[in-house]
Amino acid sequence: MNTLPSIFLSHGSPMIALEPGAAGAFMRRLGPAIDAAFGRPRAILAVSAHTITREPVLLAAERHEAVPDFGGFPQALYEMRYDAPGAPALAQEVKALLGESGVAAHVVDEGGLDHGIWTPLRYVYPEADVPVLPLAWMPMAPPAQQFALGQALAALRERGVLVMGSGSITHNLRLLSTFTGRAPLDAPEKPESAEFRHWFADRAAQRDWDALFDYRARAPHGALMHPTDEHLLPWYVAAGAGGRDTTPLRLHESHAYGALGMDAYGFGPEAQKLREALAA
């Protein structure tokens, strides 16, 4: 099997399923680019901002359905489906792999894909024909510990598994509102959001892990862009799976609703090949 990069996707709002914008257009190109450069992944290990727990849990159902884990959105969003195969055999493989790094993970035969998983995957692999294994993770652990969790998963890349973190590079929902309701998809980006995104991309390009791990203190508007950081932490899991010695590559940059950063990253030596496939 070809070794895959790991990736981080900003899924932003559940409305991306109805309003794809620039990020959705990128995701539509991502699946074909992965297939062209590396072949179809054996499975996807998904680490999402919306599947969290106190200890690692692998959701090893035979099949998954899209979970409408949100409220107050158009009815069409609740009617969408993404029925993907599960990966119960892979769950045992991942449990053993984590155990080798001292991480005790639980396996349950339950399923369901939160919107941080199914909304991007409906663009990346719209036929829902790639098995998905969600890994519920611990949002109370700091970035360095999330990176270590990703390092424990790194060997999956050599086994044809796409390690995918899903969240948002900026995520403060209070900044998305106007006096008349939700800001439009193409609202101008707030300066604080742009400053944070550019700082993060610059520090990633320099492999300044110390600054990235301490982003809340060092990044401009860090706490404003992430009042809670569960939407950014999957970036560190995916980065850890790619390795500390290679430079994270920003594969896409955009924003939505004025303050949701929609950047995507690739990790590992193979990320450059993916970038080239996206540009082809």
Side-chain angles (χ1 to χ4, degrees), residues 118-208:
W118 69 263
T119 58
L121 287 184
R122 72 182 301 273
Y123 293 118
V124 179
Y125 288 115
E127 299 301 319
D129 54 356
V130 178
V132 182
L133 177 63
L135 170 60
W137 55 284
M138 308 77 66
M140 70 291 294
Q145 191 171 335
Q146 306 293 352
F147 189 90
L149 175 62
Q151 288 178 305
L153 299 168
L156 292 174
R157 300 192 302 108
E158 301 173 357
R159 304 177 188 180
V161 177
L162 180 65
V163 178
M164 181 187 82
S166 175
S168 282
I169 207 71
T170 65
H171 192 266
N172 184 338
L173 300 183
R174 291 174 294 180
L175 299 178
L176 309 186
S177 300
T178 68
F179 287 115
T180 57
R182 178 169 52 86
L185 177 66
D186 60 353
E189 186 175 21
K190 296 182 185 298
E192 297 88 347
S193 173
E195 287 181 41
F196 180 89
R197 288 196 305 112
H198 297 326
W199 179 92
F200 207 87
D202 179 70
R203 292 300 88 206
Q206 299 298 321
R207 273 187 278 161
D208 189 349

Side-chain angles (χ1 to χ4, degrees), residues 89-101:
L90 178 62
Q92 297 297 333
E93 188 177 332
V94 175
K95 178 181 178 179
L97 189 63
L98 290 172
E100 293 172 6
S101 296

Side-chain angles (χ1 to χ4, degrees), residues 25-120:
F26 161 76
M27 292 175 192
R28 285 192 180 107
R29 293 186 291 111
L30 180 60
I34 291 172
D35 291 354
F38 308 102
R40 180 62 60 96
R42 166 189 166 203
I44 298 168
L45 179 76
V47 179
S48 166
H50 299 281
T51 297
I52 53 180
T53 188
R54 289 177 292 181
E55 295 180 352
V57 178
L58 293 152
L59 303 184
E62 291 282 351
R63 293 203 60 85
H64 296 290
E65 296 180 357
V67 176
D69 54 340
F70 38 73
F73 290 93
Q75 182 60 31
L77 198 56
Y78 300 91
E79 296 172 358
M80 287 185 170
R81 301 190 65 87
Y82 192 84
D83 301 336
L90 178 62
Q92 297 297 333
E93 188 177 332
V94 175
K95 178 181 178 179
L97 189 63
L98 290 172
E100 293 172 6
S101 296
V103 178
H106 306 274
V107 176
V108 297
D109 60 359
E110 300 174 15
L113 305 178
D114 70 62
H115 78 266
I117 301 174
W118 69 263
T119 58

